[in-house]
Amino acid sequence: VQLQASGGGLVQAGGSLRLSCVASRRIYSSNVMGWFRQAPGKEREFVAAIRWGSGMTYYEDSVKGRSIISRDGAKNTVYMQMNSLKPEDTAVYYCAMARSYSRAVREYDYWGQGTQVTVSS
């Protein structure tokens, strides 16, 4: 499976971005799609995830209330709308696919190439 992430960019604090991630094949109802991020010098960390079948969503505390993860089954695409962006949100954002829900990087089998999000103060 290939995942193609896009939508990153440079935005001022308080601004918004919508990230997209397209999968090269149908995403199964048992799959979980996640977004992770990695800032320079830091470990890759969980941001949000969605169960493809049920649509149940999960968020890391620092983005809860500011971000919305959603899916479009017809387009094999997962989105993450990020609002009220802060400088500390600056990172490379990766989408990933897992067979079941987890917040652990090691549980995700497929990864996109990453898209840079830079938030200026």
Side-chain angles (χ1 to χ4, degrees), residues 2-79:
Q2 293 185 332
L3 303 176
Q4 181 73 37
S6 62
L10 173 63
V11 64
Q12 288 188 331
S16 298
L17 284 173
R18 189 176 82 152
L19 307 183
S20 301
C21 174
V22 183
S24 60
R25 59 115 166 114
R26 185 173 72 91
I27 301 172
Y28 301 126
S29 59
S30 57
N31 285 136
V32 172
M33 297 298 294
W35 285 98
F36 290 75
R37 66 186 178 187
Q38 188 166 17
K42 295 190 175 181
E43 299 273 327
R44 192 170 297 189
E45 64 176 5
F46 172 84
V47 177
I50 185 167
R51 291 183 185 269
W52 204 253
S54 68
M56 187 173 293
T57 58
Y58 307 86
Y59 297 94
E60 192 267 331
D61 285 347
S62 71
V63 305
K64 197 176 295 183
R66 300 190 293 123
S67 297
I68 299 172
I69 187 171
S70 61
R71 73 202 194 292
D72 185 331
K75 296 181 178 179
N76 298 321
T77 301
V78 60
Y79 304 97

Side-chain angles (χ1 to χ4, degrees), residues 67-120:
S67 297
I68 299 172
I69 187 171
S70 61
R71 73 202 194 292
D72 185 331
K75 296 181 178 179
N76 298 321
T77 301
V78 60
Y79 304 97
M80 188 163 69
Q81 176 70 39
M82 301 191 296
N83 302 317
S84 302
L85 283 161
K86 305 175 181 179
E88 51 263 44
D89 293 318
T90 295
V92 177
Y93 283 70
Y94 298 89
C95 60
M97 179 188 290
R99 285 166 285 178
S100 60
Y101 171 65
S102 174
R103 297 184 177 222
V105 169
R106 66 181 180 275
E107 297 298 327
Y108 286 74
D109 301 308
Y110 302 100
W111 291 84
Q113 84 286 5
T115 185
Q116 176 72 47
V117 171
T118 303
V119 184
S120 63

